[in-house]
Amino acid sequence: MSGMELQGLSLIGAQRGAPGGAEFTAFDPVSAEDLPLTFHSASVADAQRATALASTAAPVLAALDGRQRGAFLSSIAAHLESGRAEFEHWVPLETGLPSARASGELSRTIAQLRLFAGWVEEGSWVDARIEHGDPTRTPLARPDLRSMLRALGPVVVFGASNFPLAFSVAGGDSASAWAAGCPVIVKAHPAHPASSERAGLAIRAAIKQCGLPEGTFSLLFDASQAIGSALLRDSQVRAVAFTGSRRGGRALLDIAAARPDPIPVYAEMGSVNPVFVMPQALAARGDAIAAQLHASATQGVGQFCTNPGVMVVPHGVVGDAWVVKLAGLFAGTPVGSMLTRPIAESYLEGIQRLASSAGVRCLHVKAASATGGVPSLFEVDSDLFLSDPTLHEEVFGPCSLIVRSQDLTDSLDIARSLPGQLTATVIADSGDYTASSVLLEVLQEKAGRVLMNGVPTGVEVSHAMVHGGPWPAATAPLTGSVGTAAMLRFCRRVCWQDVPDALLPAALQESNPAELLRLVDGQWRR
Amino acid sequence: MSGMELQGLSLIGAQRGAPGGAEFTAFDPVSAEDLPLTFHSASVADAQRATALASTAAPVLAALDGRQRGAFLSSIAAHLESGRAEFEHWVPLETGLPSARASGELSRTIAQLRLFAGWVEEGSWVDARIEHGDPTRTPLARPDLRSMLRALGPVVVFGASNFPLAFSVAGGDSASAWAAGCPVIVKAHPAHPASSERAGLAIRAAIKQCGLPEGTFSLLFDASQAIGSALLRDSQVRAVAFTGSRRGGRALLDIAAARPDPIPVYAEMGSVNPVFVMPQALAARGDAIAAQLHASATQGVGQFCTNPGVMVVPHGVVGDAWVVKLAGLFAGTPVGSMLTRPIAESYLEGIQRLASSAGVRCLHVKAASATGGVPSLFEVDSDLFLSDPTLHEEVFGPCSLIVRSQDLTDSLDIARSLPGQLTATVIADSGDYTASSVLLEVLQEKAGRVLMNGVPTGVEVSHAMVHGGPWPAATAPLTGSVGTAAMLRFCRRVCWQDVPDALLPAALQESNPAELLRLVDGQWRR
């Protein structure tokens, strides 16, 4: 027995949740058939046990040094790698994603954990600041002050539907919370429970290997929303991370804001990710741009938060021909299976809404399908787009709306009319740079990430990445949910005043044992 | 005409608000008489004009380089200094604070602006992160990614009642927002309108001197809560800063959370700031400790957010004698005038609540006074303190509650029972260090700042300070409201992907023109 057998039961610290809750099955969205594995919803008592264990584990994790935290993250990575064959079995079955995607996403998830491991092992991320005291200062002696970032406490992570590994149980939210020193309780997404349980077992093995407290991690299954809601209201939970719909994120935010002690909800809720195609670029290399945007808009059946849902294209004959070209590419795209039935239904509603909007032209909409992601392309004039905010809303799936712009002024108005975005892209040649510069000025106020001559899909996991943005793309634009900057979500700053060196955290001790980069008396130095 | 004449009208950018709104007067809390200066409440139209101007100014301020932002902050400092005689006239009249305090607080406010000026002139605070692309990477080319912190947009600041300069119009919240590159709209506290207007005129002079857009700053007077509420709901406002009561902070938070686009409210709401006096220290230097804590608890008529409202003192004869000693010091303290009538009334309610709590012993409570801050000392056994959360609530004023602890376990239970705190202090000699170490482990989870052998009053303005803490001390424990770390409240992170060097902000350009410390391909370097 490897200890990695799936049982369909929640993981509450080192224990299993009891059977008896509402059952649900893993489901194959391609065949539309149940898979032979039943999952049992956790009870509220399970959730309470998970938060109590997390609360006990919290100070232990907060006190781990960078090397210990890094070892834990690396151990999770290694245990995920050991399960590669199982993930490559379960992920395609549960999600309909191709096995190359499952394999690539697993590699991404592992690389993500290793990035965080290296970052916390180096350790300077705690932003240590030291000011030596001055007993001779008048009228008052200056105290010795030392502050740094510290773990916030138990974090609840909601697994995302569209990334069964990278934004799920051992994904970026969990990795950044553990890196910051926080215990994690994951509410598994019911669309991929087997993949979730398998990832959970890898994490549990890492906890055992590293000798960490069992409350470092729990995984809760639930067919309903009761457990998520109970976790949000639990007084021991200090923050929440979520990737999903705006409606879902808003609901979580409202629950958290109504607590006697409000807590932050870091929700990434998607956006239309506008792409502005500039005239010179369009004239010089329209075919290549069409191919690039078509691939970005339809890959993975369009099920990415950064999918380009709005393309702003110049008015006129060159633009007209380009739109026909792009429509042809959409027409030649096979219908893919969507991740879940609710996503497919919601997508169908979205394209029907666009198709029935007066003034919106259907360039390519195949016959509707109950579960398939039919690639869909629409077109609208800028004046209508500017006057109808419903056209600014994301249709999650392989759907794009082309907005025909009269000129730069029109494009600027379109940019200004948009709500907060995860990304905004400008496709430009050097002859477009002056206009692009003006456009970027507006777009950088609207989006967490601005791109030139690339596509918004493909979110690099790194220190410099921002995957977030102003409302409604996300709830807190100081950070995003991808890369090491995401750790700030799960930290608090604490200051120690005149505390003897031996009682200080190592990161703040005078000898700087880990050789961190620190701000000492106003100067950054190691 | 110096342009610095007080008119009792709001400052809406470069204009004055119109008279006609509800009038209120500056008020002398010592004589309980109106001062000969009438103020006119702003209209909702004034507030809308202020936010529209701020919205226009926002991209201009966001684009200023560090040198320009520093020059503005330094210019405000210089214009405040020019008004020193007027502040020394108005602040004591409006607040009852002694003139030495007014002068000291002005110096603190000026030093605070200069600290931020130096910080943004150096510029590395933007946390620039650069990762060079790699076109040869497979399966996908690695993009060039560059991210940094950027200004969030218009910020509303509510002036505090208890610091007419340092936490008011040109105080720490405003300074940190301007430093981050945000326009500021201040809702003046009605308890010190003349000081507020004079500070506003200094800021306006600095805006003119530096050639900044008028929307960089507006100041709104209001006798009611209507303008504050309108500002919170205004779609152009991106964040709110507040220092005051828990009830006030909670009300703002609830309004902001209910917006269609929720925004953060950074509220600092005070706490009881527990001080744990350890046995060896008590035995060795009880008299000195009593003098130190008495001074901290009663200075400024106890009207500090960091006032030590709970003192945990060992059970037994040494502790008994110390308590008598401290009560004697309280008895010898003159009654001071409180800042405002509502504060005095609330203080009176607070001490009456303690005095009437079964099991709470009154050690020194003078006859009640409608406007005076009567120094008040109470005592309670730990079991009662642990069982009654109302005893954990702040009584804003010169009031302390002594909790008698049986032993270290008891002190730890007391520490664990407390809600979030701005500060927590341990008074210890070397013989107490082992116990203190255990206690600090608990306290650093509870407070934004932990101290040894000092007093919590006196908040240093610096890079390492934290003036904040877990709920209900504050709303967002990642930062505080004092010192340069406070700037994070008003920032968002933005990433530029594959954007040509010439179109990037200077802080991210390859040549690093300002020689910032940046994270380049995972290494910190200039």
Side-chain angles (χ1 to χ4, degrees):
Chain A
M1 302 287 281
S2 72
M4 296 294 173
E5 290 74 22
L6 304 189
Q7 298 180 18
L9 295 168
S10 297
L11 306 177
I12 316 293
Q15 307 292 313
R16 286 286 191 168
E23 296 183 1
F24 63 103
T25 56
F27 181 83
D28 179 344
V30 178
S31 67
E33 286 176 0
D34 286 341
L35 296 166
L37 200 51
T38 299
F39 288 81
H40 303 261
S41 295
S43 64
V44 171
D46 286 336
Q48 287 170 341
R49 196 149 60 87
T51 59
L53 287 171
S55 189
T56 303
V60 181
L61 296 190
L64 293 183
D65 65 26
R67 195 186 45 77
Q68 294 167 309
R69 265 185 232 172
F72 172 51
L73 293 162
S74 298
S75 176
I76 299 172
H79 282 95
L80 289 176
E81 185 62 63
S82 307
R84 182 173 288 272
E86 290 160 82
F87 289 113
E88 289 175 358
H89 169 76
W90 281 113
V91 168
L93 269 184
E94 293 189 311
T95 64
L97 295 171
S99 94
R101 156 73 187 269
S103 176
E105 191 179 325
L106 181 63
S107 297
R108 175 195 175 92
T109 307
I110 289 168
Q112 184 162 259
L113 287 157
R114 291 189 173 138
L115 175 75
F116 281 107
W119 189 235
V120 297
E121 281 163 3
E122 192 281 328
S124 300
W125 72 274
V126 299
D127 192 12
R129 298 174 172 208
I130 294 176
E131 280 142 11
H132 292 97
D134 177 5
T136 69
R137 192 185 64 171
T138 54
L140 284 173
R142 184 183 174 101
D144 181 280
L145 291 168
R146 293 165 192 250
S147 70
M148 61 184 272
L149 298 176
R150 249 181 97 79
L152 187 58
V155 170
V156 167
V157 172
F158 286 80
S161 64
N162 63 335
F163 277 88
L165 300 172
F167 285 81
S168 191
V169 184
D173 286 328
S174 300
S176 55
W178 285 315
C182 299
V184 172
I185 300 159
V186 177
K187 158 69 176 62
H189 197 287
H192 44 74
S195 308
S196 294
E197 183 176 349
R198 184 60 187 79
L201 293 172
I203 295 160
R204 181 189 272 192
I207 289 169
K208 193 173 172 192
Q209 184 178 25
C210 297
L212 298 186
E214 58 173 322
T216 300
F217 168 69
S218 289
L219 174 66
L220 297 166
F221 292 112
D222 187 22
S224 78
Q225 300 179 345
I227 293 301
S229 181
L231 289 171
L232 264 163
R233 293 186 169 92
D234 190 295
S235 66
Q236 298 181 98
V237 171
R238 304 260 52 86
V240 176
F242 168 85
T243 300
S245 68
R246 191 187 312 180
R247 200 175 58 187
R250 177 83 215 201
L252 300 184
L253 200 65
D254 288 344
I255 294 173
R259 287 170 56 122
D261 56 334
I263 57 172
V265 172
Y266 295 101
E268 189 272 89
M269 301 174 288
S271 59
V272 295
N273 305 294
V275 177
F276 292 78
V277 182
M278 305 299 279
Q280 300 285 332
L282 184 73
R285 51 189 172 98
D287 285 3
I289 294 167
Q292 194 182 19
L293 290 181
H294 164 257
S296 176
T298 58
Q299 72 176 124
V301 200
Q303 298 166 110
F304 296 111
C305 305
T306 53
N307 187 60
V310 164
M311 302 176 187
V312 182
V313 176
H315 179 81
V317 291
V318 179
D320 291 347
W322 187 85
V323 169
V324 171
K325 168 85 186 174
L326 186 65
L329 294 174
F330 269 69
T333 309
V335 176
S337 170
M338 297 198 88
L339 289 157
T340 69
R341 190 161 297 199
I343 287 176
E345 287 165 358
S346 173
Y347 178 65
L348 199 57
E349 278 173 33
I351 57 176
Q352 283 168 348
R353 173 169 56 79
L354 284 173
S356 62
S357 293
V360 172
R361 300 180 285 281
C362 300
L363 297 178
H364 172 73
V365 186
K366 276 193 187 153
S369 150
T371 60
V374 182
S376 307
L377 190 63
F378 299 89
E379 186 184 34
V380 68
D381 292 330
S382 59
D383 53 351
L384 188 59
F385 185 78
L386 287 168
S387 67
D388 184 356
T390 68
L391 299 178
H392 305 180
E393 286 179 19
E394 180 181 19
V395 176
F396 189 77
C399 168
S400 292
L401 173 63
I402 294 173
V403 184
R404 300 303 295 274
S405 165
Q406 298 293 326
D407 51 25
L408 177 61
T409 305
D410 209 21
S411 292
L412 288 169
D413 285 343
I414 292 166
R416 289 194 195 97
S417 77
L418 292 166
Q421 300 290 322
L422 294 171
T423 71
T425 302
V426 178
I427 308 279
D429 273 10
S430 55
D432 299 308
Y433 277 15
T434 307
S436 300
S437 172
V438 183
L439 195 50
L440 281 173
E441 290 291 326
V442 176
L443 294 175
Q444 68 202 14
E445 301 300 325
K446 291 285 182 181
R449 178 166 52 114
V450 292
L451 303 85
M452 266 183 83
N453 294 321
V455 292
T457 47
V459 180
E460 197 71 25
V461 180
S462 75
H463 303 302
M465 176 48 66
V466 175
H467 188 62
W471 180 275
T475 53
L478 176 61
T479 65
S481 61
V482 172
T484 52
M487 287 169 65
L488 267 188
R489 301 177 295 171
F490 307 122
C491 294
R492 45 187 284 260
R493 181 169 283 275
V494 180
C495 176
W496 286 258
Q497 178 170 326
D498 288 330
V499 172
D501 207 62
L503 303 188
L504 286 170
L508 296 178
Q509 288 172 1
E510 194 63 21
S511 65
N512 194 11
E515 296 178 29
L516 307 183
L517 183 68
R518 311 190 293 188
L519 184 71
V520 180
D521 297 328
Q523 304 293 322
W524 289 103
R525 61 172 191 245
R526 285 192 193 266
Chain B
M1 300 288 282
S2 73
M4 295 294 173
E5 290 73 23
L6 304 189
Q7 299 180 18
L9 295 168
S10 297
L11 307 177
I12 316 295
Q15 307 292 313
R16 286 285 190 167
E23 296 182 1
F24 63 104
T25 56
F27 181 83
D28 179 345
V30 177
S31 67
E33 285 173 2
D34 287 341
L35 295 166
L37 200 53
T38 299
F39 288 81
H40 302 262
S41 296
S43 64
V44 170
D46 286 335
Q48 287 170 342
R49 197 151 58 89
T51 59
L53 287 171
S55 189
T56 303
V60 181
L61 296 189
L64 293 183
D65 65 27
R67 193 186 46 75
Q68 293 167 310
R69 265 185 230 170
F72 173 50
L73 293 162
S74 298
S75 175
I76 299 173
H79 282 95
L80 289 175
E81 185 63 63
S82 307
R84 182 174 288 273
E86 290 160 82
F87 290 113
E88 289 176 359
H89 169 76
W90 280 111
V91 169
L93 269 183
E94 292 189 311
T95 64
L97 294 171
S99 100
R101 157 72 187 270
S103 175
E105 192 180 323
L106 180 64
S107 298
R108 175 195 176 92
T109 307
I110 289 168
Q112 186 163 258
L113 287 158
R114 293 190 171 137
L115 175 76
F116 281 107
W119 189 235
V120 296
E121 280 163 3
E122 194 281 328
S124 300
W125 73 272
V126 298
D127 192 13
R129 299 173 171 207
I130 294 176
E131 280 141 12
H132 292 97
D134 176 6
T136 69
R137 193 184 66 171
T138 54
L140 284 174
R142 183 183 176 100
D144 181 279
L145 291 168
R146 295 165 191 247
S147 71
M148 61 182 274
L149 299 177
R150 247 181 98 80
L152 188 57
V155 171
V156 168
V157 171
F158 285 81
S161 64
N162 63 337
F163 277 87
L165 300 172
F167 285 83
S168 193
V169 183
D173 286 329
S174 300
S176 55
W178 285 315
C182 299
V184 172
I185 299 159
V186 177
K187 158 66 176 63
H189 197 288
H192 44 75
S195 308
S196 294
E197 184 178 349
R198 185 59 188 80
L201 293 173
I203 296 160
R204 182 188 273 192
I207 289 170
K208 195 174 171 193
Q209 183 177 27
C210 298
L212 298 185
E214 58 172 321
T216 300
F217 168 68
S218 289
L219 173 66
L220 297 165
F221 292 111
D222 187 21
S224 77
Q225 300 179 345
I227 292 301
S229 181
L231 289 171
L232 263 164
R233 291 186 170 91
D234 190 294
S235 65
Q236 298 181 98
V237 171
R238 304 260 52 87
V240 177
F242 168 84
T243 300
S245 68
R246 193 188 309 180
R247 200 174 57 186
R250 178 84 214 200
L252 300 185
L253 200 65
D254 289 344
I255 294 173
R259 285 169 57 122
D261 56 335
I263 57 172
V265 172
Y266 295 101
E268 188 272 90
M269 302 174 287
S271 60
V272 296
N273 304 294
V275 177
F276 292 79
V277 183
M278 304 300 279
Q280 300 284 332
L282 184 74
R285 50 189 173 99
D287 285 3
I289 295 167
Q292 194 180 18
L293 290 180
H294 164 257
S296 175
T298 58
Q299 71 175 125
V301 199
Q303 297 165 112
F304 297 112
C305 304
T306 54
N307 186 60
V310 164
M311 302 176 187
V312 182
V313 176
H315 180 80
V317 291
V318 180
D320 291 347
W322 186 86
V323 168
V324 171
K325 168 86 186 173
L326 186 65
L329 294 175
F330 268 69
T333 309
V335 175
S337 169
M338 297 197 87
L339 289 157
T340 69
R341 191 163 293 198
I343 287 176
E345 287 165 359
S346 173
Y347 179 65
L348 198 59
E349 278 174 32
I351 58 177
Q352 284 169 349
R353 173 169 56 78
L354 284 174
S356 63
S357 293
V360 172
R361 300 181 286 280
C362 301
L363 297 178
H364 171 73
V365 186
K366 277 195 188 151
S369 150
T371 61
V374 183
S376 307
L377 190 64
F378 298 90
E379 186 184 33
V380 69
D381 293 330
S382 59
D383 52 353
L384 187 59
F385 185 79
L386 288 168
S387 67
D388 184 356
T390 67
L391 300 178
H392 305 181
E393 286 179 20
E394 181 182 20
V395 177
F396 189 77
C399 167
S400 292
L401 174 63
I402 294 172
V403 183
R404 301 302 298 271
S405 165
Q406 297 292 327
D407 51 25
L408 177 62
T409 305
D410 209 21
S411 292
L412 288 168
D413 285 343
I414 291 166
R416 288 193 197 98
S417 77
L418 291 166
Q421 301 289 322
L422 293 172
T423 72
T425 302
V426 177
I427 307 279
D429 273 9
S430 56
D432 299 308
Y433 277 15
T434 307
S436 299
S437 171
V438 184
L439 194 51
L440 282 174
E441 290 290 328
V442 177
L443 294 177
Q444 68 201 15
E445 301 301 327
K446 291 286 183 180
R449 177 165 54 114
V450 292
L451 303 85
M452 266 183 84
N453 293 322
V455 292
T457 47
V459 180
E460 197 70 24
V461 180
S462 74
H463 303 304
M465 176 49 66
V466 175
H467 188 63
W471 180 275
T475 52
L478 176 62
T479 65
S481 60
V482 172
T484 52
M487 287 168 65
L488 267 187
R489 300 177 295 170
F490 308 122
C491 295
R492 44 187 285 261
R493 181 170 283 277
V494 179
C495 176
W496 285 257
Q497 179 169 326
D498 288 330
V499 173
D501 207 60
L503 302 188
L504 286 169
L508 296 178
Q509 288 173 1
E510 194 63 22
S511 66
N512 194 12
E515 296 178 29
L516 306 183
L517 182 69
R518 311 190 293 189
L519 185 70
V520 180
D521 296 328
Q523 304 293 321
W524 289 103
R525 61 170 191 246
R526 285 193 193 265

